[in-house]
Amino acid sequence: MKYISTRGAAPALNFEATMLTGLARDGGLYLPDHVPPMTQAEIASLAGLSYEEQAYVIMRPFIGDTFADDEFRSLIARAYQGFGHPARAPLKQLAPNHFLLELFHGPTLAFKDFAMQLIGQLFQAALARSRDRVTIVGATSGDTGSAAIEAFKGLDNVDVFILFPHGRVSDVQRRQMTTPAESNVHALAIDGDFDTCQALVKDMFNDFSFRDGVKLAGVNSINWARVLAQVVYYFSAAVSLGAPYRAVSFTVPTGNFGDIFAGYIARQMGLPIEKLIVATNQNDILHRAITSGGYVTDGVKPSISPSMDIQVSSNFERALFDAYGRDGAAVAQLMDELKSSGGFHISQGALEFLREIFTSGRASEGETSQTISRIHANTAEILCPHSAVGVHVAEQNLSATPMVTLATAHPAKFPDAVESAMGTRPALPERMADLFDRPERVTRLSGDLAELQAHIRGNIRK
Ligand SMILES: *Cc1c(COP(=O)(O)O)cnc(C)c1O
C-alpha cells in the first residue's frame, strides 16, 4: 500500500516513511491510495477477540512490510499493557439505545493514548532498526502533548518538544507535560493559543533545511499512524453492539477532526456506520461548515472543553480530499484561500458528499455543564466536559440505530469544570495521585519562529 498527499504534489510513501514524516512536503496530509475493505465475515469474526487481537486484524493491511506479523503483534501488546482497564475501550450504557465508549483508561487519561502509545512502540522499533534518530515536535491543546511525552520519554533515539498555549491548559494537563524527569522531554509554553502553536509546527515542517537538519518528525493528529490506531475502537464498539448485522452511529467530540476521521475510515472499510456526528463546543467552525458550507475562521474562544478550542481543523483536509474526488490541486487551492482570506466555501457537490456521512451539532458552555450534572444524577457516570459536549449533541440525534458517544477524557483531567458543574471534585486515579507533588520543568517562549528553532537546535542530543 502507498500513501499519497491530499495536495497531490508530494512523493508517495510507504507506511514507515509516512509514519516518520507526519506532514507531506507539499503541506498536505497523507492518506492511503486505497482503503482495503473488510468483508462481513471478517468483521463478524472480530466478535469475542481481545482489543489487541482486533487491532492486529484491522491495522495489518495498512502497514505493508514495515513490520513482520509477530513483531507487529508484540508492539500492539506492549502499547496497551499500561492501560487501566482490561477491555481497553469499555462500552457503558447511558440510556435506551445510547452508549458511552470510555477512551480514557490509558496512562494520560485521554483517548490520545490509544494512538500515541502505539506509535511510541512503532517509532522505537523502526528507529532501532535503521539506527537513526528523530526530533519530535508537536502542538497541543493539552492532551496530545501529555500523551506524546508519556509515549516517547526516555527513548534513546528521540528528542521530544511539545508546544502548548501558555495558561490555556488545565493544571493536570500541564503537569503531565512538565513533570517527567527524562532529559529528552521538553515542554514549551508558547504565548498564544493552540492555533499559534499548530502554525509554528507547520512552519517548521515547511522549512526544509531545518526539517532535514534536526530530522523533524510529527506526531500531531495529522500523522496517519495515529488516525489508523483510532480506527480500531470504532470496530470494537460496533461489533459489541451487533455489527456487521446492525448499523451503529457515533457522536464524536471534535477539535482537529482526527478522531472522527478514523470513524470515516472504519466506515470506508465496510463497518456499517449510519452517521458520524461532529460535536463541537462554542468553537463551532465545523458545525457551521457542515450546516452552511462556509468554512470561516472566527477566533478561538476559550471554553471549559479546552482540547476542542480549535478553529483550523487540520484533518478536515482529508475529508475534503475525498469530497473533491481526490483532486489534490482543488484541495491545495482551498487551503491557500484559507491562509490568505481566513476561509473558503465548500462546493455543493462536496457538501452533499460530506452530509451523506456527517451530521453536526454544538453545545454551549451552559449546555455542557448541565449535561455533566444531569448525567451524573441519572446514571452516576461522571463525564469530562468534552464527553459532555458529545452526549449533549448525541441526545439530539437519537434514533432506532444505536448511538455511541465517545468519552474522550477522564473527568479528573478537568476537575474545575466538573466541580463547578456537579459540586464534587473528581479524583485522579491512584497511579497518578502524586502528580501535584512532582517538580515542574518548562520553557516559556514568545511564539517567534526563529527563537523556537534556535531553542530546538540547541537542545537536541547530537
Ligand atoms: C484531542 C481531544 C479531542 C478532539 O479530538 P480531535 O481528534 O482533535 O477531533 C476531544 N476531546 C479530548 C479530551 C481531546 O483530548
Side-chain angles (χ1 to χ4, degrees), residues 370-382:
Q370 283 154 22
T371 303
I372 294 173
S373 68
R374 179 169 46 79
I375 293 292
H376 182 243
N378 293 348
T379 70
E381 180 80 18
I382 304 178

Side-chain angles (χ1 to χ4, degrees), residues 109-112 141-144 173 221 226 230 252-261 286 307-308 310 313 315 384 386-387 407-410 413-414:
L109 308 181
F111 82 89
K112 306 288 196 304
S141 51
D143 295 325
T144 299
Q173 289 177 317
S221 67
R226 281 189 53 190
Q230 293 168 186
V252 186
T254 298
N256 239 336
F257 209 78
D259 204 5
I260 196 163
F261 190 76
L286 286 166
S307 304
M308 291 155 56
I310 288 172
S313 263
N315 280 289
C384 91
H386 311 77
S387 312
T408 50
H410 191 287
K413 241 182 148 165
F414 304 93

